[in-house]
Amino acid sequence: MTAIVSNSSEKISVCFDGGGVRGVIPLVIMEKLCKIIGRTLPLWADSAAGSSVGAFTLSAMLVPDPKKPGHPLHSSEEILTNCIQKIPRIFTDTYWQRFRHYFTVKYERKELDLWLAEMLGKGKMNTLMIPFSTPIESFWRGKKILKDYHSKECALPLVQMIGGATACQTFFDPYEIEVDGETMSLRDGGIFANNPAMIANTKYQPDILLSFGTGFPDEEYLNSASSLRRRGVLSSLSMLVESSIGGPVRQTHQLLESSFEEGKYFRLDPLLSLEDYVTDDSSRLDSLIAVGETYCEEQEKQLIDIANLVLKKLGEDPAR
């Protein structure tokens, strides 16, 4: 199978939120969905959008295999396995890292950049298998620019664009590139569009929109006095940043939910414990993967409903 053979004009767009180590959750759910459908993502979706780590994992699924035209180089399962191996090398938890974070960014880019190069290769944004967008904050010629970069309009190397999309503020230095002989600094756009579903809806106008979240906490407990006491000052400040991003994420979901007809918009976003609502704690990886697996079990009917929309589009028999 090397191309979509559609019996339907309905277009499907897929989106992955940002969330650091929580980015494994959409991969677990996507892996299950692709198994039900029987095809990897770019062989059934028409467009995609990812923010921060979601930009990386989603774009990695869209890189074409140079040895097998029409097929992706990586599956969601392979990328998930890669995340388990690489994330602890990037988010290293040492006393030096914690001390360093008082004065500068918390982590060095070296391991992240090596991983990007390994997974994304030397391809350019406009060589991805389906149209793809990611929000990036850039600084150029003294101006701050908030922009979503669209693959069909961008011939820059994929490593550079995803390098910028994953340059999370306070965690990594900006990713710098040369544009017209001047330096442009790229940063994670998740601070203004951590849920990129609205970007996908505006850019691609899909008939069916699948929005994959990276988990959300129990807000009643999150804001309780006992929760604040448990977290301490630094952890609470970090959670405050997460919550400021989480508000627009939920608002985006509510707006899209009200604008799509029933059964055409899906938000796949598990509830998390406070312990799992983390960004750079790689010790929670196994727990986060378990969250995704539990979600798949509890929401099996939802995944089958989505798969059947895809299979109908492809002119194939429904899943059971």
Side-chain angles (χ1 to χ4, degrees):
M1 294 180 287
T2 60
I4 294 177
V5 180
S6 176
N7 286 357
S8 166
S9 60
E10 289 190 318
K11 301 298 181 183
I12 301 173
S13 195
V14 173
C15 306
F16 275 16
D17 285 13
V21 297
R22 302 197 316 274
V24 297
I25 293 174
L27 285 172
V28 172
I29 301 171
M30 177 59 75
E31 180 186 347
K32 177 65 175 178
L33 180 60
C34 285
K35 283 182 177 178
I36 298 173
I37 294 170
R39 298 189 185 202
T40 53
L41 174 65
L43 301 185
W44 56 265
D46 298 283
S47 59
S51 182
S52 194
V53 66
F56 175 32
T57 55
L58 195 48
S59 64
M61 279 186 261
L62 307 179
V63 175
D65 187 340
K67 296 180 180 178
K68 296 178 66 177
H71 287 262
L73 185 60
H74 310 292
S75 66
S76 53
E77 183 176 9
E78 179 187 345
I79 297 167
L80 176 59
T81 300
N82 215 264
C83 284
I84 296 169
Q85 296 170 349
K86 303 290 187 179
I87 285 176
R89 300 181 192 176
I90 295 168
F91 295 127
T92 52
D93 184 22
T94 65
Y95 287 113
W96 161 244
Q97 230 94 41
R98 297 176 195 177
F99 177 75
R100 165 192 170 108
H101 202 197
Y102 283 101
F103 306 99
T104 183
V105 292
K106 192 173 183 180
Y107 303 104
E108 295 181 359
R109 289 200 57 97
K110 181 180 178 181
E111 289 293 336
L112 175 59
D113 289 339
L114 288 172
W115 190 21
L116 294 179
E118 177 185 331
M119 298 300 290
L120 304 177
K122 297 180 179 180
K124 297 184 178 181
M125 278 277 284
N126 58 9
T127 63
L128 294 176
M129 294 183 68
I130 61 175
F132 171 79
S133 291
T134 184
I136 295 176
E137 180 183 53
S138 59
F139 296 87
W140 189 51
R141 292 179 175 173
K143 295 182 179 179
K144 179 179 177 180
I145 306 166
L146 302 177
K147 178 180 178 181
D148 58 284
Y149 286 81
H150 176 46
S151 61
K152 297 303 180 185
E153 301 166 356
C154 182
L156 290 171
L158 186 58
V159 164
Q160 291 184 357
M161 302 312 299
I162 303 305
T166 53
C168 178
Q169 290 81 349
T170 79
F171 282 176
F172 301 106
D173 284 324
Y175 195 99
E176 296 186 338
I177 62 175
E178 291 295 319
V179 178
D180 295 338
E182 297 186 39
T183 299
M184 176 184 282
S185 297
L186 305 178
R187 280 198 176 278
D188 185 348
I191 199 73
F192 69 93
N194 203 48
N195 177 350
M198 191 63 75
I199 292 173
N201 189 48
T202 303
K203 179 72 75 173
Y204 305 118
Q205 300 182 335
D207 302 289
I208 299 168
L209 182 57
L210 310 181
S211 176
F212 290 73
T214 53
F216 64 99
D218 182 332
E219 287 192 42
E220 182 177 349
Y221 178 68
L222 184 65
N223 296 317
S224 69
S226 60
S227 167
L228 292 172
R229 283 195 298 271
R230 283 186 61 186
R231 293 200 300 269
V233 176
L234 288 177
S235 181
S236 295
L237 287 174
S238 177
M239 193 67 74
L240 181 62
V241 174
E242 283 283 352
S243 298
S244 68
I245 294 174
V249 165
R250 291 186 293 276
Q251 291 170 3
T252 296
H253 162 57
Q254 291 164 359
L255 286 169
L256 290 170
E257 189 176 39
S258 63
S259 62
F260 275 79
E261 64 178 273
E262 187 175 354
K264 299 294 185 180
Y265 167 76
F266 298 86
R267 177 68 173 164
L268 302 93
D269 197 19
L271 178 67
L272 295 177
S273 67
L274 183 63
E275 290 76 15
D276 283 334
Y277 192 57
V278 295
T279 304
D280 62 332
D281 185 354
S282 58
S283 70
R284 305 302 301 177
L285 275 173
D286 288 343
S287 181
L288 292 167
I289 290 169
V291 166
E293 291 171 343
T294 299
Y295 182 88
C296 290
E297 292 172 3
E298 295 176 348
Q299 302 296 326
E300 184 178 17
K301 184 182 182 301
Q302 180 191 49
L303 293 178
I304 291 175
D305 287 345
I306 294 171
N308 283 336
L309 286 173
V310 174
L311 292 168
K312 180 181 178 182
K313 166 187 172 70
L314 300 174
E316 298 182 5
D317 294 333
R320 297 182 181 179

